[in-house]
Amino acid sequence: MICVRSNPCPAPQEDAWITSYQRLVPHWHSVSLSHQHSTISISISRVNQFDAARLDIEMSAMLKEQLVKVFSLMKPGMLFQYQPELNAFLEFLIWRFSIWVDKPTPGIAFMNLRYRDERAVALRGKVRTGLEGPGLTFAQKIWYCVSAVGGQYIWARLQSFSAFCRWGDSEERPLARRAWGLMQR
């Protein structure tokens, strides 16, 4: 019904909302029951995850550059000797003030992503955007630190040790030469 100024609309009956409600309740229940058991699959593009990781690397490099400027008055070469420790310290700080306190890393925050415990999400069921659900567990946070921060530190120390011991030039030690070749790939 179209209401015009010359022909005003009649006022609805007092119980009109009750009849509308009773007419629509079965439809609402059928819709809510059909969506109760269905889960919405959320797929996060791997490109977004790689971009977030790249942003984290770039931000770590910016922090490292600022920290190197602080130590610029020290003896040349001294900072190079402790570069793996410096990188591990910066990565630990990023981990401590992001993942440990249930916040995303800076790159992940820019990409509007977050870490979450997928096992707990599977138990709960309904997920709408991918941002809901519980964060990482205590063990997952610790393993992230051990693997990401500790793994990068061990890899950097192994590379500097192998360069110092000249594994690549070693003719009489084929195992060291092979290890050097694998590390350069």
Side-chain angles (χ1 to χ4, degrees), residues 60-61 64-65 67-68 71 77-91 149 152-157 159-160:
S60 295
K64 181 180 166 189
E65 182 180 334
L67 197 58
V68 166
F71 293 110
M78 184 172 177
L79 192 60
F80 179 75
Q81 180 181 0
Y82 297 108
Q83 195 166 4
E85 285 80 11
L86 176 68
N87 290 342
F89 177 69
L90 287 175
E91 290 297 323
V149 177
Q152 288 178 11
Y153 172 72
I154 290 170
W155 182 255
R157 271 291 158 207
Q159 282 186 323
S160 65

Side-chain angles (χ1 to χ4, degrees), residues 143-168:
W143 276 112
Y144 182 91
C145 181
V146 167
S147 63
V149 177
Q152 288 178 11
Y153 172 72
I154 290 170
W155 182 255
R157 271 291 158 207
L158 183 63
Q159 282 186 323
S160 65
F161 178 74
S162 64
F164 179 73
C165 292
R166 305 178 67 101
W167 285 2

Side-chain angles (χ1 to χ4, degrees), residues 74-140:
M74 293 179 70
K75 184 173 72 172
M78 184 172 177
L79 192 60
F80 179 75
Q81 180 181 0
Y82 297 108
Q83 195 166 4
E85 285 80 11
L86 176 68
N87 290 342
F89 177 69
L90 287 175
E91 290 297 323
F92 175 78
L93 286 179
I94 291 171
W95 172 83
R96 169 59 182 89
F97 293 109
S98 60
I99 294 171
W100 182 252
V101 292
D102 289 328
K103 302 278 187 218
T105 61
I108 289 175
F110 282 143
M111 298 303 290
N112 199 24
L113 302 172
R114 74 182 275 266
Y115 290 111
R116 71 175 186 200
D117 186 6
E118 286 296 317
R119 296 171 298 172
V121 169
L123 294 176
R124 287 190 179 181
K126 197 172 186 181
V127 175
R128 296 181 116 11
T129 65
L131 295 175
E132 299 102 6
L136 298 176
T137 64
F138 176 79
Q140 287 172 328

Side-chain angles (χ1 to χ4, degrees), residues 26-40 126:
H27 177 67
W28 288 335
H29 285 296
S30 67
V31 169
S32 68
L33 288 176
S34 67
H35 290 301
Q36 195 173 29
H37 298 291
S38 66
T39 58
I40 301 168
K126 197 172 186 181

